[in-house]
């Protein structure tokens, strides 16, 4: 059974001190406003993606929205909770248990998902900045990459975010701004980092026999790859590449019978600048050591192929919403509705979303 | 694609102050010990069911167990998290994304899922004892049921638990013990209540073409019904019946093309004594107002048809584990491996698991 994206909605990403249920509701209300013919009774499944400690958010969102779903719960897998929820929704539909599923992700600027307490148990640093720093040092040394080379990722993604009305960042930064921003570790500066923020994003998935009620431009989820390699980044066989993403991409390309060179537009998980080239190389869009140069060239040519909404660095990182926000961008691109961010006539789009030092990755492929 | 239970494992239910990841690991280790030929690489999906605030428990359990799954995350829906996770695992398999899925549920005696903070927002009582009390008063008045009639549920389920080696309760209670136990509200006494405890349970699901590696007695999941009606119990159209369970049961019986009178053995969600008759009536196993009398007769005849493991009252209620523990009992019953708890040659078994004042319900049907 084919499953596609039937609608979407989002809040603006901000530093607002907004309750979690209210963020979820705002994203859902935006989705209802944007989606033709949608009524509450159409929705069989409500999945919430969040790292928040609140319980029973699925039923709470459902009641606030007037939905009485069959299936509803919360899904958590740190930063790739959103794509886990989308794949789960796909499965309910493909398995024949439901026709239409709402997936809503949200987190606050102070989300408890930003720190993995379990790393205490083996004496590792808990904050993601430390693994990002180790990956950065290792990647730079392995491929003779400079801080300046990596800074282009930040410059590009902040620039692209200027055309994204939902983005947290509203400012253009120069190479010098990035290279002179506050030094957080020996290898990572403030503008190398995405920022935790408050935000929510929602997508509606529907089966082939139902989706035409909601849209004339369904975007089909044709490839799904996921892989978890461990719970902490030191299990990576290399610190200059990301193994879970490589495996997830292989699975997704095999399922959709396509290949990396056919990807017209992609949102990849640039939680830190080094993550964009690492992701491009693991997916197979760039060859090993060439990812940073690709980002630089895309910046200079103003080509939106990679992270057209501004990625995570430009858009902000409300953890549970991120994978869903990436999926909305790829949907709009494949529908030709991305306005100033639009890539020319894309046919195949990719979402890459990962967690906890690249120990878990999701790769999704979409086609129009 | 048919999906069945291929294996199972559990910890004993206790008041132990054990870390959550350690409970999950113990249940998983027991499952590996009990399951023929199972190796880590067989497992494509690891779903954790819990109300704990810890993050990334799926990857943590996977790494501790030596599993490198494709798909892994945590699922939360308060007390029916466990059956939500089982249905999600079913969907991944039925959708063709995976062949074998491990579902592990656990909570601690001090689980944060015992109280729904959201009820603050509308001035309702947060502790489940209050909705149980209101349901009890309403049910007794509507059908002219006495406290003594309901006390049989507690007597029966504590008695049945004596034959369950994993159960928290180890003691036989008389009718007088229940009726004279500590008064918590006007309508609910201590022995009317299940007890939060520490425990974990695990099941392995596998597809028809893979399951024979692991067992010669697969138990098939043939009916799935779920329904959420609101986030707080006051939305129930009656306080002497449970609407979400009625709808979930209808969906499950329709999917499996069977009916309530064909159910040979059932675990129903007796979080409080009143819940057993309410569940039996909503599912259709007993007619309206007759559930308490059915429990009394089953006690007197020592027939194990309903809650043979001792239900939640006898076995204990580690929230995220409960739906999985219920599923293990029904699996053992249908395999004829339930020892002293065995019902004669059952062919159809039912699991009923609900959340938050019966606002969400799951009904699962199994066949051998």
């Amino acid at each position: 059974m084919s499953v596609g994206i039937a609608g979407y909605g989002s809040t603006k990403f901000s530093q607002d001190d907004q309750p979690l249920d209210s963020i979820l509701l705002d994203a859902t209300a935006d989705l209802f406003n944007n989606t033709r013919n949608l009524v509450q009774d159409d929705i069989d499944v409500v999945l919430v993606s969040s790292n928040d400690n609140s319980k029973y958010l699925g039923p709470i969102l459902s009641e606030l929205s007037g939905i009485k779903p069959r299936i509803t719960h919360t899904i958590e897998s740190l930063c790739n909770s959103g794509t886990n929820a989308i794949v789960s929704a796909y499965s309910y539909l493909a398995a024949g248990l439901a026709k239409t599923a709402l997936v809503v992700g949200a987190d606050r600027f102070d989300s408890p998902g930003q720190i993995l307490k379990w790393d205490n148990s083996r004496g590792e640093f808990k904050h993601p900045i430390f693994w990002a720093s180790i990956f950065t040092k290792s990647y730079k040394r392995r491929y003779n990459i400079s801080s300046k080379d990596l800074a282009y990722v930040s410059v590009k993604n902040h620039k692209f975010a200027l055309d994204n009305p939902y983005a947290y960042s509203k400012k253009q930064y120069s190479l010098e701004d990035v290279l002179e921003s506050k030094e957080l570790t020996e290898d990572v500066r403030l503008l190398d980092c995405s920022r935790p923020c408050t935000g929510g994003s929602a997508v509606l998935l529907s089966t082939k026999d139902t989706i035409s009620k909601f849209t004339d431009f369904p975007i089909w989820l044709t490839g799904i790859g996921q892989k978890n390699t461990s719970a902490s980044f030191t299990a990576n066989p290399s610190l200059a590449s990301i193994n879970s993403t490589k495996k997830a991409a292989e699975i997704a390309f095999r399922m959709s019978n396509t290949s990396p060179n056919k990807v017209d537009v992609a949102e990849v998980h640039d939680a830190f600048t080094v993550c964009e080239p690492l992701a491009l190389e693991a997916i197979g869009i760039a060859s090993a050591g060439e990812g940073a140069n690709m980002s630089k060239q895309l910046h200079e040519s103003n080509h939106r192929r990679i992270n057209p909404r501004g990625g995570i660095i430009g858009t902000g990182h409300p953890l549970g919403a991120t994978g869903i926000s990436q999926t909305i961008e790829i949907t709009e691109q494949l529908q030709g509705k991305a306005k100033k961010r639009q890539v020319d006539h894309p046919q195949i789009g990719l979402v890459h979303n990962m967690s906890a030092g690249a120990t878990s990755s999701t790769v999704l492929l979409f086609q129009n």
Side-chain angles (χ1 to χ4, degrees), chain A:
Chain A
M1 172 63 78
S2 295
V3 172
I5 305 292
Y8 48 85
S10 193
T11 70
K12 290 186 180 178
F13 290 3
S14 71
Q15 286 292 314
D16 288 357
D17 182 15
Q18 192 181 358
L20 212 279
D21 47 11
S22 158
I23 310 168
L24 291 166
L25 182 60
D26 283 355
T28 302
D30 192 51
L31 181 144
F32 268 88
N33 284 337
N34 297 340
T35 308
R36 179 181 77 192
N37 296 330
L38 179 65
V39 295
Q40 279 84 346
D41 283 352
D42 290 320
I43 296 173
D44 306 312
V45 179
V46 174
L47 299 181
V48 167
S49 154
S50 183
N51 293 268
D52 200 84
N53 288 339
S54 309
K55 306 306 169 195
Y56 217 43
L57 287 169
I60 289 170
L61 172 63
S62 297
E63 185 178 326
L64 288 170
S65 310
I67 304 166
K68 296 188 177 185
R70 292 185 178 192
I71 297 167
T72 179
H73 54 249
T74 301
I75 287 178
E76 180 276 315
S77 176
L78 294 177
C79 301
N80 78 341
S81 303
T83 49
N84 269 273
I86 288 171
V87 176
S88 184
Y90 167 94
S91 297
Y92 285 117
L93 273 49
L97 292 182
K99 294 285 189 188
T100 300
L102 174 67
V103 180
V104 191
D107 263 298
R108 287 164 46 93
F109 65 91
D110 58 357
S111 169
Q114 289 160 38
I115 284 179
L116 183 56
K117 289 193 180 141
W118 194 63
D119 275 352
N120 277 337
S121 64
R122 41 174 147 187
E124 283 180 17
F125 301 111
K126 291 179 294 183
H127 197 283
I129 196 93
F130 295 108
W131 65 252
S133 193
I134 291 170
F135 270 117
T136 302
K137 187 184 287 299
S138 177
Y139 181 72
K140 285 161 77 177
R141 183 186 292 150
R142 173 77 178 79
Y143 295 112
N144 196 25
I145 303 283
S146 68
S147 297
K148 187 177 165 188
D149 295 331
L150 287 177
Y152 280 105
V153 173
S154 176
V155 175
K156 170 175 79 70
N157 292 352
H158 280 106
K159 179 176 72 176
F160 288 176
L162 295 174
D163 293 326
N164 174 0
Y166 294 97
Y168 174 73
S169 173
K170 307 287 183 201
K171 199 171 156 190
Q172 171 88 62
Y173 293 95
S174 67
L175 264 186
E176 291 66 37
D177 290 335
V178 177
L179 291 168
E180 289 164 17
S181 63
K182 185 176 175 186
E183 186 177 85
L184 302 179
T185 71
E186 200 177 313
D187 292 285
V188 174
R189 290 175 181 268
L190 185 64
L191 288 173
D192 287 310
C193 306
S194 61
R195 273 151 293 189
C197 63
T198 298
S201 299
V203 289
L204 190 74
L205 282 80
S206 194
T207 56
K208 192 169 187 176
D209 56 356
T210 309
I211 202 165
S212 61
K213 176 178 177 186
F214 309 117
T215 180
D216 294 328
F217 304 102
I219 301 303
W220 305 104
L221 176 48
T222 58
I224 294 171
Q226 293 187 277
K227 187 67 187 176
N228 167 253
T229 50
S230 71
S232 205
F233 76 100
T234 47
N236 263 301
S238 152
L239 293 170
S241 65
I242 47 182
N243 204 33
S244 67
T245 296
K246 186 164 182 291
K247 294 189 172 175
E250 286 166 3
I251 298 166
F253 285 118
R254 199 181 316 130
M255 176 171 164
S256 71
N257 196 25
T258 182
S259 57
N261 64 347
K262 295 196 176 137
V263 173
D264 298 308
V265 59
E267 282 285 328
V268 303
H269 194 99
D270 59 325
F272 300 92
T273 49
V274 72
C275 298
E276 183 166 301
L278 284 172
L280 294 174
E281 295 169 24
I283 294 164
I285 292 175
S287 50
E290 291 298 322
N293 190 43
M294 179 178 281
S295 297
K296 177 184 174 185
Q297 289 178 0
L298 291 170
H299 167 64
E300 289 176 345
S301 66
N302 211 32
H303 192 295
R304 308 269 178 156
R305 185 180 178 208
I306 304 300
N307 284 331
R309 74 183 178 128
I312 299 178
I313 286 177
T315 310
H317 194 12
L319 313 181
T322 285
I324 299 166
S325 174
Q326 293 175 308
T327 297
I328 294 172
E329 177 67 21
I330 295 305
T331 301
E332 290 198 318
Q333 290 284 346
L334 293 174
Q335 289 177 327
K337 293 184 178 175
K339 300 182 178 157
K340 288 185 185 172
R341 305 185 311 281
Q342 185 65 49
V343 171
D344 274 355
H345 301 295
Q347 292 182 295
I348 296 180
L350 180 148
V351 166
H352 164 250
N353 186 202
M354 65 188 189
S355 279
T359 53
S360 295
S361 291
T362 309
V363 172
L364 304 179
L365 288 160
F366 295 93
Q367 292 181 252
N368 53 18

